[in-house]
Amino acid sequence: MRILLAAVVLAALAAGCAPTGPAPAVDADLAIVGATVIHPERDGAAAVEREVTILVRGNRIVAVGSAIAVPAAASVIEARGKWVIPGLVDAHVHFFQSGNLYTRPDAADFSAVVRYADEVARNKARLPVTFRTWLASGVTSVADVGGPFWNFTVREAAAMSAAAPRVAVAGPLISMVDRAKLDLGDPPIIKTASPAAARALVRRQLPYKPDFIKVWFIHRTGDDLAAQEAIVKAAGDEAHAAGIRLAVHATELVVAKSALRAGADILVHSVVDAPVDDEFIALALRRNAIYVPTIFVMSSYAMALSNQWKPTEAEQRLADPEILAAMGDLDRIPRDKLPARVAQLMDKPPALAPAPAILRNLRRVWDAGITVAMGTDAGNIGALHGPSVFREMELMVQAGLTPLQVLRSATVNGAKVMGLEREVGRIAAGQLADLVVLDADPLADIVNASRIHRVIKDGRPVP
Ligand SMILES: [Zn+2]
């Protein structure tokens, strides 16, 4: 009897594990067949797996392997000769900004040409299209690291829509400086002059369950760094007490170190002014902080405002066509309507290559074992929602990362910023099915990540 039972159990186990045969071992709604799968979390040759079938049931991956039977009922995406990567994550975006010339009147005031209220109204009205632009660019998750309280509505709208990326958000930036021109009644940036004011602004956001609390740590010559650090620490302590991470804008070495001492979990930009030093590395490692380089946006303002911005092939295909057209407005706006700074930039065009310190710091930070997540700061002038990820990833390769390392930063590491590291960023059974099927090999050239054949978000192919 015992032997018979063992035989039945063995037979059942064998059936459950059978790689081939008439009855598929796993039920599925969708099968991606014959693909070369890239596993960004792995190193070396193990990162590439050929002739793979991926089965998806509902919104999850249920099987990945080379000897998997395709259930008759599953719809099939034929992927022989194609590559599959996890859906990309942009770890730094802003939905209240569009990327066009008129989106930051505090930096370049074009209000004589386009009213800021009209610009923001357009961004709100266009949100469903912006969501689809992200998906069409292979980006299935984005982290909006700061904007008006309206940001929480953006996250809700995305969660309710099948045609939207996963969205994590911060509310208004807790800032060292005021930005009156951006205040239409629900300002994205709010000046806080004391630790108590910072705590109060965190508490105002907590009912909305923010994914991050964001601090805009602007330190200018003559500012009291210790007093500023106390404000950042107050915001961080209040956030951490509620189980929420602290994301900080801090672009100079002394400021970034101050931010880390104050409790930053995510540095949303590169250190731009000096080489990162051992103290910075130690502070970042001790906090297990994530470093988001945002290389492209450091040049995109100068590019756009000096009329040197030219769309990439991916932008021509994928970006908002009205914004693409409006990027050429500097050819049409009468000179007396141009902001003084823009007239100066057009007369004396600036250099556009990223500062060498930015590129060197990325490599140093990566080599030190600090988690790096790809982010574009999309929405800022010149950084368009969606296809700017391909510019950013190219610059990361230019900094010395391999395409595989860049993909890791844009998938598994981005998932950590989202707080979704158990759910997305890898192609494995149990993960949410966010996948991009590519026509060309992104490890041969990272720009091939823009050669998108299909995008699958939450188990569904995106039309
Ligand atoms: Zn930003």
Side-chain angles (χ1 to χ4, degrees):
M1 187 65 186
R2 199 169 289 160
I3 289 164
L4 185 65
L5 195 61
V8 169
V9 169
L10 279 175
L13 280 174
C17 301
T20 51
V26 181
D27 204 3
D29 307 310
L30 175 69
I32 302 168
V33 177
T36 297
V37 165
I38 294 173
H39 298 284
E41 76 279 17
R42 300 181 189 169
D43 286 312
V48 181
E49 199 182 357
R50 289 174 216 287
E51 287 290 314
V52 173
T53 292
I54 303 169
L55 296 185
V56 174
R57 171 98 167 136
N59 66 346
R60 295 217 178 246
I61 298 168
V62 288
V64 180
S66 54
I68 291 173
V70 176
S75 58
V76 172
I77 294 176
E78 177 57 56
R80 281 185 182 83
K82 302 193 187 297
W83 286 259
V84 181
I85 59 173
L88 300 174
V89 182
D90 190 329
H92 188 156
V93 313
H94 298 281
F95 282 107
F96 78 100
Q97 305 178 142
S98 68
N100 79 7
L101 298 166
Y102 314 118
T103 210
R104 283 299 293 271
D106 56 327
D109 190 348
F110 285 95
S111 50
V113 182
V114 171
R115 285 190 333 135
Y116 182 58
D118 294 340
E119 157 69 12
V120 173
R122 182 183 185 278
N123 297 343
K124 290 185 178 182
R126 204 181 161 83
L127 194 59
V129 185
T130 305
F131 286 158
R132 291 202 291 276
T133 304
W134 279 112
L135 290 180
S137 304
V139 180
T140 51
S141 298
V142 298
D144 183 318
V145 291
F149 275 93
W150 171 69
N151 257 8
F152 297 110
T153 317
V154 173
R155 181 180 59 186
E156 203 183 325
M160 308 256 296
S161 168
R166 303 176 196 282
V167 173
V169 294
L173 280 62
I174 296 170
S175 172
M176 305 297 162
V177 294
D178 211 6
R179 280 291 182 266
K181 284 180 179 174
L182 303 181
D183 188 354
L184 300 168
D186 179 13
I189 295 171
I190 299 176
K191 183 175 175 178
T192 45
S194 68
R199 286 182 186 276
L201 184 46
V202 173
R203 282 198 294 268
R204 262 179 74 200
Q205 298 186 41
L206 291 181
Y208 299 90
K209 303 199 182 315
D211 297 284
F212 325 96
I213 292 294
K214 168 75 172 288
V215 173
W216 212 36
F217 194 168
I218 306 295
H219 175 76
R220 291 181 293 209
T221 314
D223 289 343
D224 180 346
L225 188 69
Q228 291 186 316
E229 187 174 313
I231 292 173
V232 181
K233 185 171 185 307
D237 289 350
E238 200 71 26
H240 292 151
I244 295 165
R245 290 170 300 161
L246 182 68
V248 182
H249 166 120
T251 51
E252 300 79 23
L253 182 61
V254 288
V255 185
K257 287 197 277 194
S258 177
L260 290 166
R261 280 196 300 270
D265 302 291
I266 303 164
L267 292 175
V268 302
H269 291 296
S270 287
V271 170
V272 305
D273 68 323
V276 291
D277 58 12
D278 292 343
E279 187 188 14
F280 173 90
I281 301 277
L283 282 165
L285 287 173
R286 193 184 315 150
R287 280 217 56 72
N288 201 17
I290 303 176
Y291 183 92
V292 185
T294 66
I295 306 168
F296 174 57
V297 78
M298 304 294 181
S299 311
S300 73
Y301 274 76
M303 214 177 261
L305 297 176
S306 66
N307 208 12
Q308 298 184 80
W309 193 94
K310 297 277 177 296
T312 61
E313 182 277 327
E315 281 162 346
Q316 282 173 323
R317 229 174 345 110
L318 295 162
D320 177 343
E322 285 176 41
I323 303 258
L324 285 177
M327 293 304 281
D329 282 358
L330 288 179
D331 292 326
R332 296 181 279 272
I333 298 169
R335 184 158 176 115
D336 63 329
K337 292 210 167 152
L338 288 177
R341 181 184 169 203
V342 173
Q344 282 164 14
L345 284 168
M346 285 175 73
D347 289 343
K348 205 167 170 254
L352 300 176
I358 295 176
L359 301 182
R360 278 199 298 265
N361 283 343
L362 170 53
R363 186 60 201 269
R364 172 101 203 268
V365 160
W366 182 281
D367 289 345
I370 293 166
T371 302
V372 171
M374 187 275 294
T376 58
D377 213 353
N380 278 284
I381 297 178
L384 275 50
H385 288 282
S388 57
V389 293
F390 308 116
R391 294 209 196 230
E392 185 66 26
M393 293 196 291
E394 239 190 311
L395 289 166
M396 293 173 86
V397 169
Q398 204 179 307
L401 268 55
T402 66
L404 181 65
Q405 290 170 334
V406 173
L407 282 181
R408 187 177 302 168
S409 77
T411 54
V412 268
N413 292 355
K416 291 177 186 168
V417 173
M418 295 293 295
L420 291 174
E421 60 268 38
R422 290 195 182 85
E423 301 271 41
V424 303
R426 291 180 294 123
I427 300 176
Q431 291 269 295
L432 290 170
D434 292 358
L435 302 161
V436 186
V437 184
L438 300 170
D439 284 322
D441 181 2
L443 299 185
D445 183 344
I446 195 66
V447 171
N448 287 340
S450 72
R451 306 248 329 252
I452 296 165
H453 175 67
R454 295 303 290 272
V455 178
I456 292 104
K457 153 80 199 307
D458 216 28
R460 272 179 292 222
V462 178

